[in-house]
Amino acid sequence: MPLETPARIVSELASHGYNAEREAVTRIADTPDPSATLERALETLPDDALKLTTDHVESVIEPTENGEGTSNTEPDRENETTGAPTQSHPSVSTGTDAASSTEPGASAPPETGGSRDVDTSLRAIEVANDMTGQSTGTGEYSDFVAVFRDRYEKLAGKLRGRVNHRPTDATENMGGGSDAALIGMVSDIRSTASGHWLVELEDTNGTFPCLVMKDRPIADLVQQLLMDEVIAVEGTLADDAGILFVDSLYFPDVPRTHSPSTADRHVQAALISDVHVGSQEFMEDAWHRFTDWLHTSEAENVEYLLIAGDMVEGVGIYPEQDEELDIIDIYDQYRAFSEYLKEVPGDMEIRMIPGNHDAVRLAEPQPGFDEELRDIMTAHDAQVHSNPSLVTVEGVTVLMYHGVSLDEVIAELPDEEASYEEPHKAMYQLLKKRHVAPQYGGHTRLAPEDRDYLVMEEVPDVFHTGHVHKLGWGEYHNVVALNSGCWQAQTEFQKSVNIDPDAGFAPILDLDTLSMTVRKFS
């Protein structure tokens, strides 16, 4: 197996019983043939050595590997500049020229993954909310009760500071005309004969009807509601205390005072999704241009690649899909994707989550890949977490969610609040609701677990989705919301449902400023 990453080199050394200096591992990874370099280093180590040193590695590197006149030192990163824009919204630039040309005297980018001059010891990455291997749901009634109770308690906790909540059974016993407030899960929404809105709220004690008058300013908020989301209302009880006339309505929401975290050095992440290897419409040339660009000096600060699902096209996802497949077997699709992933520089950290085209269960939360798929997906030691997962990269929290629920949000809410042309606005709604898939029983399949993994317990700094194949970005209460488009040209099925994809784009996020540049490779 080729030693494509420092992590693999360390693992190989450990299997022989050796530790190593970090610089020694970096030097091996930087050589054209890390496997051969490591083999020579191990063969010439003294019998009593316990650690592989940098000096020993240098002694076995052949002159052609070291490169005449080439410095082995790390660049002064404090003085590096990338020309990245500092505005809060990304600009779009074409990556074709950078990917296909080199400076005079420079060598062409490698065709397969190789290491760049990157100090990987500076990296810090953590993952939370990954339920891979933690699934406990059996589909019993009690499982559904447990997960909805967990959702209610978590989201109600974010609303209790906004209103003086009393349980539904206590509200029923209050006197008519009293001021009252409720926190509940939306169990029904309907309009009355007079055009007012009747919203049924449910808590752990019961249900209570709430009336929003059509002439109240908050009436527009009712059109943003989805079934099963948790909200708070306050108002006045009717004379018989049988209904609450609503004056105010609150969502769990992201605080307007949210202050995002940033990295303490200049480092970037590429955020992509929906590669769809195996489809006849997979944009292979655009992918090659993207990975070639990653090997250029212009991309030297791009140290992370975050992929939000649908690595492959899958099988049997939509009617007559087999007629649009370039690779029929699902495992062969993953083998091909792994080969394409090898074109990415070997020192990049890669984190992925599955999507609805991937070979995992459709019901969310979706666990990461099983062992058979992980064995296939060996390129770069890419880590596959569950959908959704909260990935913290150098202090910046990125909520990665594939985005199947966006279809439902866009279908249910008014066009000005959510549309395919501006998918980030639908993401704003999920941030407002603090849940990535609030509505149960619709098109989004949800699985009961011991807790609700779909609640946004922590406010992310970046919300990254895919699925809808449209490029859109913006900020909501200082949270960067990005839907990253796709790498698949329009299929016949997409034509039939009027989907015109934004394909071949790679959003590049500056982790130290949260500014973004969107590069086009199609």
Side-chain angles (χ1 to χ4, degrees), residues 406-472:
L406 294 176
D407 287 331
E408 207 148 34
V409 173
I410 291 169
E412 295 284 342
L413 301 189
D415 290 345
E416 61 270 19
E417 302 294 345
S419 69
Y420 285 110
E421 293 306 313
E422 296 181 295
H424 53 289
K425 289 188 175 181
M427 298 171 67
Y428 295 170
Q429 290 293 327
L430 297 180
L431 286 165
K432 182 183 293 187
K433 301 170 193 308
R434 295 292 291 271
H435 199 283
V436 300
Q439 187 158 288
Y440 177 78
H443 296 295
T444 307
R445 296 177 174 89
L446 303 178
E449 296 292 345
D450 59 346
R451 64 185 181 88
D452 193 343
Y453 287 90
L454 308 180
V455 173
M456 298 185 198
E457 295 187 67
E458 178 181 342
V459 176
D461 302 313
V462 180
F463 185 19
H464 175 206
T465 65
H467 181 64
V468 297
H469 290 209
K470 299 297 292 184
L471 179 67

Side-chain angles (χ1 to χ4, degrees), residues 249-270:
L249 188 154
Y250 305 98
F251 296 92
D253 222 330
V254 174
R256 292 183 179 275
T257 56
H258 171 66
S259 179
S261 299
T262 55
D264 58 8
R265 66 187 181 103
H266 182 54
V267 60
Q268 297 172 311

Side-chain angles (χ1 to χ4, degrees), residues 246-303:
V246 179
D247 297 322
S248 303
L249 188 154
Y250 305 98
F251 296 92
D253 222 330
V254 174
R256 292 183 179 275
T257 56
H258 171 66
S259 179
S261 299
T262 55
D264 58 8
R265 66 187 181 103
H266 182 54
V267 60
Q268 297 172 311
L271 278 61
I272 66 172
S273 65
D274 297 273
V275 185
H276 289 276
V277 171
S279 167
Q280 293 175 358
E281 302 302 332
F282 165 58
M283 300 176 67
E284 182 179 16
D285 290 343
W287 179 264
H288 291 327
R289 285 191 286 269
F290 168 53
T291 55
D292 284 350
W293 175 78
L294 288 174
H295 287 278
T296 67
S297 59
E298 193 175 15
E300 64 182 344
N301 296 115
V302 184
E303 297 186 19

Side-chain angles (χ1 to χ4, degrees), residues 147-149 151-152 155 184-189 199-202 225-231 252 408 433-435 437-442 444 446 452 455:
V147 75
F148 278 104
R149 280 182 178 270
R151 175 190 300 193
Y152 175 79
L155 295 178
M185 187 176 293
V186 178
S187 62
D188 192 24
I189 309 169
V199 180
E200 195 90 14
L201 293 185
E202 180 179 4
L225 295 180
L226 293 175
M227 299 293 289
D228 306 313
E229 69 170 297
V230 178
I231 62 170
E408 207 148 34
K433 301 170 193 308
R434 295 292 291 271
H435 199 283
Q439 187 158 288
Y440 177 78
T444 307
L446 303 178
D452 193 343
V455 173

Side-chain angles (χ1 to χ4, degrees), residues 57-107:
V57 170
E58 293 288 355
S59 70
V60 302
I61 293 179
E62 297 177 354
T64 54
E65 289 180 333
N66 206 11
E68 189 174 339
T70 301
S71 171
N72 293 330
T73 59
E74 290 286 318
D76 181 1
R77 292 195 178 275
E78 291 185 359
N79 296 323
E80 285 183 336
T81 59
T82 63
T86 57
Q87 69 268 25
S88 60
H89 301 307
S91 60
V92 178
S93 58
T94 301
T96 305
D97 294 340
S100 60
S101 63
T102 56
E103 296 179 1
S107 61

Side-chain angles (χ1 to χ4, degrees), residues 248-386:
S248 303
L249 188 154
Y250 305 98
F251 296 92
D253 222 330
V254 174
R256 292 183 179 275
T257 56
H258 171 66
S259 179
S261 299
T262 55
D264 58 8
R265 66 187 181 103
H266 182 54
V267 60
Q268 297 172 311
L271 278 61
I272 66 172
S273 65
D274 297 273
V275 185
H276 289 276
V277 171
S279 167
Q280 293 175 358
E281 302 302 332
F282 165 58
M283 300 176 67
E284 182 179 16
D285 290 343
W287 179 264
H288 291 327
R289 285 191 286 269
F290 168 53
T291 55
D292 284 350
W293 175 78
L294 288 174
H295 287 278
T296 67
S297 59
E298 193 175 15
E300 64 182 344
N301 296 115
V302 184
E303 297 186 19
Y304 299 92
L305 176 63
L306 307 181
I307 307 178
D310 282 2
M311 280 72 85
V312 300
E313 174 66 1
V315 177
I317 307 299
Y318 57 84
E320 300 181 352
Q321 184 191 23
D322 57 317
E323 297 181 4
E324 300 182 2
L325 290 178
D326 186 50
I327 302 174
I328 302 298
D329 183 82
I330 185 67
Y331 294 104
D332 288 342
Q333 290 181 12
Y334 281 107
R335 291 185 184 95
F337 175 75
S338 187
E339 289 301 312
Y340 285 116
L341 208 59
K342 289 179 181 177
E343 299 176 17
V344 173
D347 49 34
M348 287 187 69
E349 181 82 24
I350 303 174
R351 300 298 172 112
M352 303 182 287
I353 62 170
N356 61 305
H357 282 245
D358 286 302
V360 297
R361 75 181 188 191
L362 283 176
E364 299 176 1
Q366 294 176 290
F369 293 163
D370 61 21
E371 288 301 319
E372 186 172 5
L373 286 183
R374 288 175 189 271
D375 288 343
I376 292 173
M377 298 288 296
T378 57
H380 298 322
D381 286 332
Q383 302 296 304
V384 184
H385 307 293
S386 66

